Amino acid sequence: MLERFSHTLHLGVARDTLTLMRRKRWGGATELIAELALAPGTLDTPGLFTPALRGLLGAGAWRGHALTVVLADELVRLWRVTPPLHASRLADLEAAAMLRYQSLYGESCDLSNVCADWDVRAPFWAAAAAPALLPALLEVAREERLCLREITPQFIKAWNRWRAALPAQAWFALVHGELLTVGVVDGADLLAVRSAPIAPRATLAWLQGQVEREALYLNLAAPVRVAACGDLPQRWLDGAGAAGFACGQLERARATPALTGGAALAVTGAYA
């Protein structure tokens, strides 16, 4: 029984892989429990994803343990919502979120797949997962009697952990696999999130071009520094770009030991 309180399970969900990690609350040591390769289309089909998830967790093997789920950014859509004037009810915020989603993506969204930091006073962020994900995760967690603490997009998980460590006037970035996700930062506020595939052998100049393009689009001053976490190309850290542009790895992110891609996804933000 005591082991259930001293360990936390971390599940990473990517389009091609499920990874289950266990982390000790004291000492922070992690171990890989299981990893499962997914066939193409598995995450889009409840009849395939739910059994795969059950198989990974093992019938009753982790009953009573706490579980944190991190979703790869490729499986999630993030958008910023401005609350309507004089909004006072959750229904007002939900309607605003749905309208904003439709204007951005050109399609409607099932509210049951949306999570958000609902706020009537200030703009807030919302996230929508692939339709098959949330119902399956909730169902299997209930079946296995797991204490499901949170289901979070990888970028938001990383942002919440490292935001306090950002240097002044730096933007935030996360690298996972071949995907770069950049957070546009103004003071302590996250204004926008943009993702792009990383070009082969992408240089620091390529990264600088990405952030300058986004700054121009938003009519903002381009940052001279990006603070990033994840598996960064060493060439981004070693050089200096035009006008003194630089990329730095967050100090606390350096404490993360070398992990496989799926394991790194699962324990995103777990290291202080």
Side-chain angles (χ1 to χ4, degrees):
M1 177 66 73
L2 287 177
E3 186 182 65
R4 299 179 186 178
F5 294 99
S6 60
H7 296 82
T8 301
L9 299 178
H10 296 261
L11 175 65
V13 182
R15 187 162 294 281
D16 58 357
T17 312
L18 293 177
T19 306
L20 184 65
M21 301 284 290
R22 181 169 64 170
R23 178 173 183 261
K24 293 182 179 180
R25 290 190 185 179
W26 294 279
T30 58
E31 61 175 323
L32 176 65
I33 300 299
E35 195 158 43
L36 178 66
L38 300 177
T42 298
L43 294 185
D44 302 317
T45 310
L48 296 177
F49 178 56
T50 303
L53 188 58
R54 286 195 187 103
L56 181 82
L57 290 170
W62 304 106
R63 184 164 296 176
H65 282 71
L67 175 66
T68 293
V69 181
V70 180
L71 305 179
D73 289 331
E74 62 187 0
L75 304 176
V76 178
R77 284 176 170 174
L78 293 171
W79 70 103
R80 199 169 189 250
V81 183
T82 300
L85 190 63
H86 306 308
S88 59
R89 303 174 302 156
L90 177 59
D92 299 331
L93 303 179
E94 291 174 339
M98 295 300 96
L99 286 172
R100 181 60 176 159
Y101 182 94
Q102 189 166 32
S103 70
L104 289 172
Y105 299 109
E107 59 188 45
S108 60
C109 180
D110 184 350
L111 192 59
S112 65
N113 289 325
V114 175
C115 297
D117 295 324
W118 309 108
D119 193 337
V120 298
R121 299 161 299 176
F124 58 89
W125 283 90
L133 287 183
L134 293 185
L137 287 166
L138 294 172
E139 176 185 345
V140 174
R142 183 171 56 251
E143 288 176 356
E144 298 296 324
R145 297 186 183 179
L146 296 168
C147 178
L148 184 56
R149 288 183 166 178
E150 60 179 344
I151 303 172
T152 313
Q154 186 184 19
F155 180 85
I156 296 299
K157 186 76 172 176
W159 165 256
N160 288 339
R161 170 60 74 182
W162 314 127
R163 59 189 298 179
L166 288 182
Q169 299 181 332
W171 285 11
F172 177 68
L174 170 70
V175 173
H176 182 74
E178 298 177 354
L179 187 68
L180 167 72
T181 306
V182 174
V184 179
V185 181
D186 182 18
D189 194 14
L190 183 64
L191 295 183
V193 176
R194 298 288 186 268
S195 294
I198 299 175
R201 299 294 300 172
T203 63
L204 183 62
W206 177 88
L207 176 63
Q208 184 174 5
Q210 295 292 310
V211 300
E212 287 181 345
R213 189 177 304 113
E214 192 59 35
L216 184 63
Y217 176 77
L218 294 171
N219 195 28
L220 296 171
V224 296
R225 183 176 179 83
V226 168
C229 61
D231 188 16
L232 304 180
Q234 188 61 42
R235 56 187 174 276
W236 291 6
L237 304 173
D238 291 340
F245 180 83
C247 176
Q249 181 134 28
L250 292 166
E251 289 295 327
R252 285 181 281 185
R254 288 192 189 129
T256 307
L259 298 170
T260 65
L265 170 65
V267 297
T268 298
Y271 292 90

